[in-house]
Structures are given as C-alpha cells and as structure tokens.
Amino acid sequence: MKKADIAKLLQAYKDGTLSEDEAVDKIAETPFEEMKFAAIDHHRELRQGMPEVIYAAGKTPEQVRDIFYSLYTHSQGNILATRARREHYEKVLEKVPEAEYDETARAVYLDRDASKVRDEQHQILILTAGTSDIPVAEEARLTAYLFGNCVKTYYDCGVAGIHRLFAHLPDIEQANVIIVIAGMEGALASVVGGLTDKPVIAVPTSVGYGASFNGVAALLSMLNSCATGVSVVNIDNGFGAGALASKINKLR
C-alpha cells in the first residue's frame, strides 16, 4: 500500500462510498498478513518505497510461492526473492506467471513498477575483482535496478592486473555510489576508495583458497581499509550492498 492508496481510502470514506467498518477493515490489513510460516509486512512499501524482499534460502518452494503471491496481490512495486533456486521459481510461476528468474543472481523477481525513473546522471557503479565474484555482483545489480536505479558494471578488474581498473577511471569519477566486490585479500576496495570522493560499499566474497577462510580474510581487510569513505557489508551480501547503494543514491 502506498500513500496514494491511503488517500483514496480516506476520500472514499469521506464521500460515503466506503462505510466506516469497511475502512477499518482495510486499514487493519495494512500492517502485516499473518501466515502460518511468515508474517508478511505489507506496510513496508509505504515506509520504504519497495515491498518486503524475500530471503528464499531455507524456505520451501511452496512457502516462497505463497509469500511472493501475497506481495504480488497487496503491493504495486517490484518484487524480489534472493538466494532462490530454480525450484522456487517454478513454484512461483504457478501463481505469478509474469515472474522472472536470474540464474546468476539466484533471484526470482517481478519488474512491474513503471513509475520508477532511472536517472542516468546518478549512477551506481559495480566493480568486481574477479569473474568468480560475479554472482554476488549480479545480486547487487538486480537489487539496485529493481529499487529504481541506473546501474553500470565492470567485472574482473582486480589488483592483480590493476591497469584493467584504470581503464574505467572516467566511470569511477562519474558514479554517484560505487560497490566494490572482491574475495581473496579484498584489496580492490581500498584501491577504489583512494581514487574517488564518492561513497564506496565494499562486499567481501567467499572466493579464495584456505587461508581466505571463506571470505573472513577479505572482510577483515576491508574493515581495516585506510582509504577514506569505505563501508563494508557482510560476506557475499550483494543484496545488502545494492539496497544501501540505492538509499545513498536517492538522498539527492
């Protein structure tokens, strides 16, 4: 439910086309929907401009299907389910045939909000150190896009061949927010942080050999960055990076 929906509801009550009991019932539906396995926050679109996002990992295909359909029927914005398997997608199609699946991003989504105008003058730039970091980057890209942002990506431009990064300096200078995704030692975030005056969101990934400790080495490296203006989200958290970048990009 959006502000416009509440305005229509109040106007209908004022005009007498909606009774007091009917108005109360509709308002009572607004905060959340209680299901046996979830409490769906239908008020989130009003508060944050985007319906609740589904974390599909650990949920059955049937649960993801029912939550996705509930959001579909109670909201107007884009819908996203992260860390989803193809089995989740196939179940969602039973009730929402317009839904799409991004295998690389591991996401089921519905891009239906035509009101989102993506401003090309205020872009989010996503950089990865290696090709193996792309799944996390694609989760960040799809999230930021569905939240209504213009997103540009450059992949496999890590410090082992730093000339590849320098080839993208014009876009680094023009971006409004930069997401840097890296595994191994996670050095790329510090390098980019030293090249720009824009906020950098660092995402450590679980890519690397034994001593990388499934991303802990990159996480600690990014947290200890001496570059100014580098913030860090959790290991492999492409969604978190995309959502935060969107909020920063829209502060204007």
Side-chain angles (χ1 to χ4, degrees), residues 173-236:
E173 292 170 355
Q174 292 174 13
N176 206 40
V177 190
I178 302 171
I179 298 173
V180 178
I181 302 172
M184 301 289 187
E185 84 286 16
L188 184 61
S190 289
V191 174
V192 175
L195 292 173
T196 180
D197 62 348
K198 304 297 172 50
V200 173
I201 302 169
V203 187
T205 70
S206 51
V207 171
Y209 293 101
S212 69
F213 297 108
N214 293 316
V216 173
L219 172 65
L220 294 176
S221 178
M222 290 171 171
L223 286 171
N224 285 285
S225 174
C226 63
T228 304
V230 176
S231 64
V232 187
V233 298
N234 208 349
I235 298 168
D236 291 336

Side-chain angles (χ1 to χ4, degrees), residues 17-52:
T17 58
L18 194 69
S19 71
E20 180 177 320
D21 288 342
E22 289 172 327
V24 169
D25 286 342
K26 287 186 176 295
I27 292 173
E29 292 174 0
T30 301
F32 66 93
E33 177 186 356
E34 187 67 66
M35 305 174 79
K36 289 183 178 180
F37 49 83
I40 313 303
D41 182 8
H42 294 308
H43 198 255
R44 193 167 306 186
E45 186 174 19
L46 177 64
R47 300 194 315 270
Q48 299 187 352
M50 178 83 173
E52 181 176 3

Side-chain angles (χ1 to χ4, degrees), residues 125-144:
L125 176 64
I126 301 178
L127 305 169
T128 74
T131 302
S132 299
D133 302 310
I134 289 178
V136 176
E138 282 296 291
E139 183 180 75
R141 180 199 61 78
L142 182 60
T143 298

Side-chain angles (χ1 to χ4, degrees), residues 20-219:
E20 180 177 320
D21 288 342
E22 289 172 327
V24 169
D25 286 342
K26 287 186 176 295
I27 292 173
E29 292 174 0
T30 301
F32 66 93
E33 177 186 356
E34 187 67 66
M35 305 174 79
K36 289 183 178 180
F37 49 83
I40 313 303
D41 182 8
H42 294 308
H43 198 255
R44 193 167 306 186
E45 186 174 19
L46 177 64
R47 300 194 315 270
Q48 299 187 352
M50 178 83 173
E52 181 176 3
V53 174
I54 305 163
Y55 181 67
K59 294 182 176 67
T60 68
E62 291 79 12
Q63 288 171 338
V64 172
R65 175 198 62 197
D66 293 346
I67 295 171
F68 201 100
Y69 182 69
S70 176
L71 291 167
Y72 174 75
T73 56
H74 287 85
S75 67
Q76 296 173 313
N78 297 332
I79 304 174
L80 173 63
T82 65
R83 300 303 165 97
R85 306 189 309 274
R86 183 161 288 277
E87 297 94 312
H88 290 123
Y89 173 55
E90 290 170 354
K91 276 295 177 183
V92 168
L93 286 178
E94 294 177 358
K95 291 191 174 182
V96 187
E98 311 98 293
E100 299 179 69
Y101 183 60
D102 188 317
E103 188 124 21
T104 304
R106 296 165 291 179
V108 180
Y109 68 98
L110 181 63
D111 182 11
R112 63 172 175 175
D113 191 349
S115 70
K116 291 192 181 300
V117 179
R118 295 175 174 88
D119 182 3
E120 294 186 1
Q121 300 302 313
H122 295 83
Q123 289 189 350
I124 295 172
L125 176 64
I126 301 178
L127 305 169
T128 74
T131 302
S132 299
D133 302 310
I134 289 178
V136 176
E138 282 296 291
E139 183 180 75
R141 180 199 61 78
L142 182 60
T143 298
Y145 173 82
L146 291 174
F147 274 54
N149 300 274
C150 186
V151 187
K152 181 174 285 189
T153 61
Y154 290 116
Y155 296 156
D156 195 27
C157 51
V159 298
I162 203 164
H163 55 289
R164 300 171 300 176
L165 176 67
F166 293 156
H168 308 308
L169 278 176
D171 289 300
I172 291 173
E173 292 170 355
Q174 292 174 13
N176 206 40
V177 190
I178 302 171
I179 298 173
V180 178
I181 302 172
M184 301 289 187
E185 84 286 16
L188 184 61
S190 289
V191 174
V192 175
L195 292 173
T196 180
D197 62 348
K198 304 297 172 50
V200 173
I201 302 169
V203 187
T205 70
S206 51
V207 171
Y209 293 101
S212 69
F213 297 108
N214 293 316
V216 173
L219 172 65

